[in-house]
């Protein structure tokens, strides 16, 4: 059944309509009946049928003709303002454009505002209008209720990055936040006063609500905080110890502090930076391994890769040539088998430019997505001051960084997968012509037998972690947030994959250095 929200004086009334062919005049009188029913003195109205009023659609300020049918001029869940003849503005009424009123003979009608998260509740409660005198409480309650994350806290370094990215978003000027609040956030950042932010709890739409709420809670002087000076303590005491005042939230500011993708992007930025270092190390390790296993550098000829000019492939092949071909310092190992009868090497050595190359391109792709996300306004609703409009959108949705970080995990994992196979070639005497497990007196000593097992276990774990989290979506907030990105988990598991590849890389370095 269609339902309409009607504003009369200081009340918002939900009016169901069984028949959309009823008129606007019927809607007005039905709303007036409900209004008087809720008032002890009938709201000073003796007879509803004798009341004269003007009806106006809230959105767009359109005046409604009482004889028009509802289905012709309204949409389901529309908002309507009823101005009774002789009335003045309600103290709880916020005009759509502040200060604008519309005068008509014998009455005053005011254009109403309905702005998500500023004068309304959130999620499923988006159509619950909040009185003016409770707007500050609305924002405080939002932060407190949404601080529902679980798990270990982010490290101080990661929390500081999270705070920096949120400050960057708010400073763009589309979030409806005061300079006073922004300055206090910057002061907390400079003093490294960092809130307790659990690592789990975000589904990546509507933004990273839980972790960003915990971030805001500490800035409000509630919950726990950490600083180098105080360690972990109650937030209000940590702020006091640094001569800082808690943030006092104004309308919209609670929502502005917690609505965005900064948890995903802060962890994602770290994952990208560490992945870049791993990719460079992987090329060096692979080149050393090829040298030890008496492989050939012919497969890295520039003409071969010019025929398949993927940027990453060309770059990796160039690195291999730089590492393996030197006129000034020729390799004695390479010289020892220059005229051997081996035609070509195993794929784990010969195809490094093709395998490592796509990893490099994947990292570059992810970096571009993360850089764009870091420097974007991801709030909702967005405040366009020059246009005088506040518009609800979907920039908070974390699908972009979620997909990119899932892709990053898959790409970086391949460095470990191919590296583990090269470890097998190093440890297996039938493949390497080296002592089994790279140790003398085998049997008495086990050498790198279990080091290879460790590498295999890390690769196996990564195979599970590489299942994309962003292919999952669970409807939340009573189906108002019916598609989510799961980007928080994409970022956390991408970091875990990166960590595993780093650990596996150290094992391979140790093996190569032994030789």
């Amino acid at each position: 059944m269609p339902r309409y929200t009607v504003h009369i004086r200081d009340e918002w009334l939900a009016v169901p309509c069984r028949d959309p062919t009823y008129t606007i005049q019927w809607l007005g009188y039905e709303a007036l009946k409900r209004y008087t029913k809720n008032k002890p003195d009938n709201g000073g109205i003796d007879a509803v049928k004798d009341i004269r009023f003007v009806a106006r659609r809230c959105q767009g300020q359109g005046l409604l003709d009482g004889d028009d049918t509802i289905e012709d001029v309204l949409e389901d869940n529309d908002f309507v303002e009823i101005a009774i003849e002789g009335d003045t503005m309600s103290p709880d009424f916020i005009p759509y454009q502040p200060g604008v009123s519309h005068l008509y003979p014998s009455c005053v009608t005011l254009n109403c505002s309905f702005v998500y998260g500023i004068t309304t509740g959130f999620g499923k409660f988006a159509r619950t209008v909040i009185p003016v005198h409770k707007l500050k409480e609305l924002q405080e309650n939002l932060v407190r209720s949404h601080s529902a994350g679980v798990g270990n806290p982010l490290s101080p370094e990661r929390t500081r990055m999270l705070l920096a990215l949120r400050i960057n978003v708010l400073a763009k000027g589309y979030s409806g936040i005061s300079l006073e609040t922004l300055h206090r956030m910057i002061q907390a950042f400079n003093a490294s006063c960092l809130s307790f932010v659990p690592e789990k709890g975000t589904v990546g739409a509507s933004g990273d609500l839980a972790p960003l709420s915990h971030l805001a809670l500490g800035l409000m002087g509630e919950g726990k905080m950490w600083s180098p000076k105080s360690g972990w303590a109650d937030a209000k005491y940590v702020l006091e110890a640094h001569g800082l005042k808690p943030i006092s939230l104004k309308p919209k500011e609670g929502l502005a502090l917690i609505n965005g993708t900064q948890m995903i992007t802060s962890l994602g930025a770290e994952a990208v930076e560490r992945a870049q270092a791993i990719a460079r190390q992987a090329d060096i390790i692979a080149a050393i391994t090829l040298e030890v296993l008496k492989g050939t550098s012919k497969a890295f000829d520039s003409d071969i890769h010019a025929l398949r000019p993927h940027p990453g492939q060309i770059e990796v092949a160039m690195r291999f040539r730089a590492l393996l071909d030197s006129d000034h310092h020729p390799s004695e190992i390479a010289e020892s088998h220059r005229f051997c009868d081996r035609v070509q090497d195993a794929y784990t050595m010969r195809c490094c430019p093709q395998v490592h190359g796509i990893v490099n391109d994947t990292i570059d792709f992810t970096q571009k997505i993360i850089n764009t996300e870091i420097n974007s306004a991801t709030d909702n609703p967005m405040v366009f001051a020059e246009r005088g409009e506040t518009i609800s959108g979907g920039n908070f949705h974390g699908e972009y960084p979620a997909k990119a970080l899932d892709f990053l995990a898959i790409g970086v994992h391949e460095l470990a997968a191919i590296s583990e196979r090269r470890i097998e070639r190093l440890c297996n005497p039938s493949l390497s012509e080296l002592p089994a497990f790279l140790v003398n007196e085998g049997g008495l000593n086990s050498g790198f037998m279990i080091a290879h097992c460790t590498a295999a276990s890390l690769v196996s774990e990564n195979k599970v972690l590489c299942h994309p989290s962003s292919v999952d979506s669970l409807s939340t907030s009573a189906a108002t947030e019916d598609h989510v990105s799961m980007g928080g988990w994409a970022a956390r598991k991408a970091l875990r994959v990166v960590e595993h590849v780093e650990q596996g890389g150290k094992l391979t370095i140790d093996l190569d250095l032994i030789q």
Side-chain angles (χ1 to χ4, degrees):
M1 180 187 304
R3 187 187 70 171
Y4 304 92
T5 302
V6 182
H7 184 259
I8 299 177
R9 292 177 175 169
D10 59 347
E11 297 286 349
W12 289 90
L13 305 152
V15 181
C17 177
R18 292 186 176 84
D19 188 347
T21 62
Y22 288 168
T23 64
I24 294 297
Q25 185 177 40
W26 172 89
L27 180 65
Y29 282 127
E30 185 66 22
L32 284 165
K33 290 177 186 176
R34 293 168 183 266
Y35 173 78
T36 56
K37 184 178 179 181
N38 291 332
K39 297 293 181 180
D41 61 350
N42 293 329
I45 297 174
D46 295 326
V48 169
K49 61 183 178 63
D50 295 332
I51 293 295
R52 295 179 58 194
F53 62 85
V54 173
R56 179 178 291 275
R57 189 180 182 191
C58 292
Q59 185 68 32
Q61 309 178 28
L63 188 66
L64 299 171
D65 190 315
D67 293 331
D68 283 340
T69 63
I70 292 172
E71 66 180 357
D72 287 340
V73 294
L74 295 180
E75 297 177 4
D76 187 17
N77 289 322
D78 241 336
F79 289 77
V80 176
E81 167 74 7
I82 297 295
I84 300 173
E85 182 177 328
D87 271 1
T88 57
M89 186 175 72
S90 160
D92 281 341
F93 180 66
I94 305 172
Y96 181 73
Q97 292 178 319
V100 177
S101 64
H102 304 274
L103 300 179
Y104 294 92
S106 303
C107 79
V108 176
T109 180
L110 297 166
N111 172 41
C112 80
S113 170
F114 185 75
V115 182
Y116 174 76
I118 302 177
T119 58
T120 75
F122 308 94
K124 182 66 173 177
F125 300 119
R127 295 190 175 276
T128 301
V129 179
I130 309 300
V132 172
H133 67 277
K134 292 188 175 181
L135 295 186
K136 175 179 169 58
E137 182 182 354
L138 169 71
Q139 300 301 315
E140 293 172 342
N141 288 346
L142 171 69
V143 172
R144 290 169 185 148
S145 69
H146 284 41
S147 297
V150 296
N152 296 324
L154 297 180
S155 67
E157 295 80 8
R158 288 175 178 172
T159 305
R160 197 162 188 263
M161 178 66 166
L162 179 64
L163 178 57
L165 295 191
R166 196 62 205 156
I167 289 171
N168 183 53
V169 168
L170 298 175
K172 296 187 179 301
Y174 295 98
S175 301
I177 196 169
S178 67
L179 283 175
E180 178 187 6
T181 296
L182 185 60
H183 286 158
R184 290 189 182 180
M185 293 178 71
I186 294 171
Q187 289 171 344
F189 174 83
N190 289 336
S192 289
C193 293
L194 306 170
S195 305
F196 183 99
V197 180
E199 64 179 0
K200 300 178 183 179
T202 177
V203 294
S206 172
D208 295 319
L209 292 175
L212 289 174
S213 293
H214 282 279
L215 185 73
L217 192 68
L219 297 170
M220 290 166 53
E222 302 179 24
K224 297 291 183 182
M225 254 189 166
W226 178 93
S227 79
K229 180 177 179 179
S230 65
W232 285 109
D234 289 343
K236 62 180 179 180
Y237 297 127
V238 175
L239 293 171
E240 285 177 9
H242 292 81
L244 303 178
K245 294 181 179 179
I247 287 173
S248 178
L249 297 179
K250 302 172 183 63
K252 174 66 167 70
E253 291 194 333
L255 187 59
L257 290 177
I258 72 172
N259 204 333
T261 60
Q262 284 64 56
M263 172 76 160
I264 306 172
T265 49
S266 61
L267 298 182
E270 179 186 343
V272 167
E273 184 174 2
R274 290 168 67 177
Q276 289 172 328
I278 294 170
R280 290 190 291 271
Q281 293 165 9
D283 290 346
I284 297 170
I285 293 169
I288 295 172
T289 305
L290 181 136
E291 178 88 342
V292 169
L293 293 174
K294 299 181 179 180
T296 177
S297 61
K298 292 290 187 181
F300 313 124
D301 189 288
S302 59
D303 287 343
I304 290 177
H305 300 283
L307 299 177
R308 196 191 192 197
H310 292 295
Q313 177 176 331
I314 290 174
E315 182 181 6
V316 172
M318 181 178 65
R319 286 181 189 162
F320 270 70
R321 291 195 302 274
L323 289 164
L324 297 172
D325 296 332
S326 173
D327 294 333
H328 296 290
H329 302 285
S331 165
E332 292 182 12
I333 298 177
E335 289 298 320
S336 72
H337 63 90
R338 180 178 295 277
F339 302 106
C340 70
D341 59 357
R342 186 185 303 170
V343 177
Q344 57 188 17
D345 295 319
Y347 291 176
T348 51
M349 296 184 288
R350 192 188 347 153
C351 298
C352 281
Q354 291 78 8
V355 178
H356 289 202
I358 183 57
V359 178
N360 280 264
D361 288 345
T362 299
I363 294 169
D364 289 344
F365 166 78
T366 308
Q367 183 182 29
K368 291 175 184 177
I369 296 292
I370 295 296
N371 282 346
T372 298
E373 195 73 9
I374 285 174
N375 294 293
S376 297
T378 56
D379 205 345
N380 183 61
M382 305 301 299
V383 178
F384 297 91
E386 293 181 357
R387 292 171 55 180
E389 289 187 75
T390 301
I391 305 174
S392 287
N395 278 4
F396 54 75
H397 203 294
E399 198 72 14
Y400 261 100
K403 282 286 189 290
L405 290 169
D406 278 337
F407 192 14
L408 179 71
I410 293 169
V412 173
H413 158 71
E414 206 57 40
L415 294 177
I418 196 171
S419 179
E420 183 275 329
R421 289 292 81 207
R422 288 194 295 264
I423 292 175
E424 161 70 5
R425 301 193 75 82
L426 286 168
C427 292
N428 188 334
S430 65
L431 299 175
S432 67
E433 301 177 5
L434 297 169
F437 304 109
L438 306 180
V439 66
N440 292 322
E441 298 186 76
L444 178 62
N445 299 308
S446 296
F448 286 88
M449 181 186 297
I450 303 306
H452 178 218
C453 291
T454 299
S457 73
L458 292 173
V459 169
S460 182
E461 283 190 33
N462 279 357
K463 289 176 183 177
V464 176
L465 291 170
C466 283
H467 176 78
S469 67
S470 62
V471 301
D472 183 28
S473 177
L474 292 173
S475 180
T476 60
S477 192
T480 57
E481 298 164 6
D482 57 350
H483 182 278
V484 299
S485 72
M486 298 299 179
W489 175 226
R492 288 194 295 117
K493 70 183 183 63
L495 270 174
R496 193 179 300 181
V497 168
V498 167
E499 181 180 313
H500 287 169
V501 179
E502 288 172 338
Q503 294 167 340
K506 291 175 184 176
L507 289 173
T508 311
I509 291 173
D510 291 341
L511 292 172
D512 287 329
L513 292 179
I514 286 292
Q515 300 311 305

